[in-house]
Amino acid sequence: MSPVAHSGEQFVRANRIDICYEAFGAADAEPMLLIMGLGAQMVLWDDAFCEQLAARGFRVIRFDNRDIGRSSKLSGGKRLTPFELLKLRLFHIPVAAPYKLHDMAKDTLALMDALGIHSAHLVGASMGGMIAQEVAISFPQAVRSLTSIMSTTGNPRVPPPSRQATAILMAPPPNTRDEFLARFAQTYKILRAGRFPQDEALDRSRAERIFARGLSPAGSARQLRAILASGSRKERLRSVRAPTLVIHGAADPLVHPMGGKDTAMSIPGAKLLMVEGMGHALAVELWPQIIDAIATHAHGAAAKAA
């Protein structure tokens, strides 16, 4: 594969915050935005993953969501308590939040505007899938195609995460570099839900890169509140007209596979790809299948729109 153009980290002011982003591929290629999940920096879209997508004919843009990585940090909100979760699940008492997923969708749109992109292919993972769904609902003119990966609609009837996944999500944040490196490996051992030696070999270097870019436990807590405060998108997703692909792991311990199925059932004409052996992570071993599905879907949507 020939070298892919890469911008390096850059910053733009958008929606009253500073957003850190990087671009891969030719400037005149079909734009594709990659939106990461809860507490996850943009570099969890691995460089090689972005390069392989760019080589398929896209200008791939990854970015740090608000409150994470090198984008702006906000304030307010505390760590979610088990009591708040219980009140939400049993009595539907809303969780308070400094912002919601709609605000994060507006960040995405503002980033596109700042980069001169009127519409793009959106690819979101986990919380990123929720944000991408919100963009498709609220700003349909900006979406050439939608790919929602290991995400859900917010429908409370979708089964909850496994006990192990819930425990790692709710665990107090690590205090030192060594604790963070160990927690990262432990987290992804649970989320991948299986043995993936290539990823296990990369876990330390990935964690070191994330730690060096800066941690934001308070930001992750605010993002979690944003998810829970935003409620269900299930009914509103029926308005989505963007060509949609839903990818979900059959072994996902964090977002139950029914979350992916519910997403696909809620969006008219959506295609569903259930990936055997996939948990809640983009394991290197599964990249060929995932990248091919994303690229084929986006190119198909572009051809229909031409």
Side-chain angles (χ1 to χ4, degrees):
M1 186 174 70
S2 57
V4 170
H6 179 201
S7 71
E9 290 189 5
Q10 299 188 53
F11 293 84
V12 295
R13 187 76 178 171
N15 199 24
R16 301 184 299 281
I17 62 171
D18 295 318
I19 297 178
C20 180
Y21 76 96
E22 289 182 275
F24 298 78
D28 60 350
E30 286 273 325
M32 176 177 285
L33 266 68
L34 306 184
I35 312 173
M36 237 317 144
L38 173 65
Q41 297 185 14
M42 67 177 178
V43 294
L44 279 174
W45 297 107
D46 281 18
D47 291 5
F49 185 94
C50 297
E51 289 165 356
Q52 289 180 39
L53 267 177
R56 298 287 294 266
F58 300 100
R59 180 191 181 197
V60 176
I61 298 161
R62 65 183 182 186
F63 64 99
D64 286 324
N65 286 308
R66 60 166 64 193
D67 256 340
I68 206 71
R70 300 190 67 199
S71 288
S72 290
K73 310 302 185 296
L74 282 77
S75 61
K78 298 178 180 178
R79 282 187 60 79
L80 196 72
T81 66
F83 183 56
E84 286 178 285
L85 278 177
L86 188 65
K87 289 194 297 182
L88 176 65
R89 182 162 289 279
L90 295 183
F91 306 111
H92 308 294
I93 297 174
V95 168
Y99 55 82
K100 295 184 179 182
L101 293 176
H102 183 75
D103 298 295
M104 302 181 81
K106 288 166 69 176
D107 294 345
T108 304
L109 194 73
L111 171 63
M112 292 169 58
D113 287 344
L115 299 180
I117 298 170
H118 300 295
S119 63
H121 303 284
L122 299 189
V123 180
S126 196
M127 180 187 74
M130 303 173 196
I131 295 168
Q133 291 170 24
E134 188 63 51
V135 177
I137 293 166
S138 301
F139 310 104
Q141 73 286 352
V143 185
R144 300 187 188 190
S145 73
L146 169 64
T147 301
S148 181
I149 306 174
M150 54 195 185
S151 193
T152 185
T153 62
N155 180 358
R157 295 189 177 186
V158 171
S162 72
R163 286 187 179 182
Q164 268 193 318
T166 299
I168 202 71
L169 182 68
M170 299 297 290
N175 294 312
T176 67
R177 179 178 180 276
D178 287 344
E179 286 179 4
F180 176 75
L181 299 184
R183 174 71 62 80
F184 186 92
Q186 178 191 19
T187 297
Y188 277 90
K189 181 178 181 182
I190 292 168
L191 294 185
R192 282 192 290 263
R195 285 298 315 280
F196 291 91
Q198 291 182 75
D199 287 276
E200 290 160 20
L202 290 169
D203 277 345
R204 186 175 183 86
S205 61
R206 286 170 173 162
E208 287 173 341
R209 185 179 189 185
I210 289 167
F211 187 86
R213 296 183 78 245
L215 304 184
S216 179
S220 298
R222 285 188 288 270
Q223 289 183 352
L224 180 56
R225 285 184 174 278
I227 293 171
L228 297 174
S230 295
S232 176
R233 290 169 301 284
K234 184 173 176 64
E235 293 304 318
R236 292 190 301 133
L237 283 168
R238 301 192 190 285
S239 71
V240 172
R241 295 296 176 262
T244 299
L245 170 66
V246 177
I247 301 174
H248 211 101
D252 194 327
L254 186 61
V255 179
H256 193 279
M258 275 305 302
K261 294 175 183 177
D262 191 51
T263 304
M265 288 188 293
S266 300
I267 299 174
K271 297 176 288 185
L272 175 64
L273 172 62
M274 296 298 297
V275 181
E276 292 300 321
M278 176 178 167
H280 197 79
L282 298 168
V284 175
E285 183 180 309
L286 303 175
W287 284 4
Q289 184 178 4
I290 293 169
I291 289 171
D292 184 65
I294 294 169
T296 300
H297 174 64
H299 280 311
K304 285 182 181 179

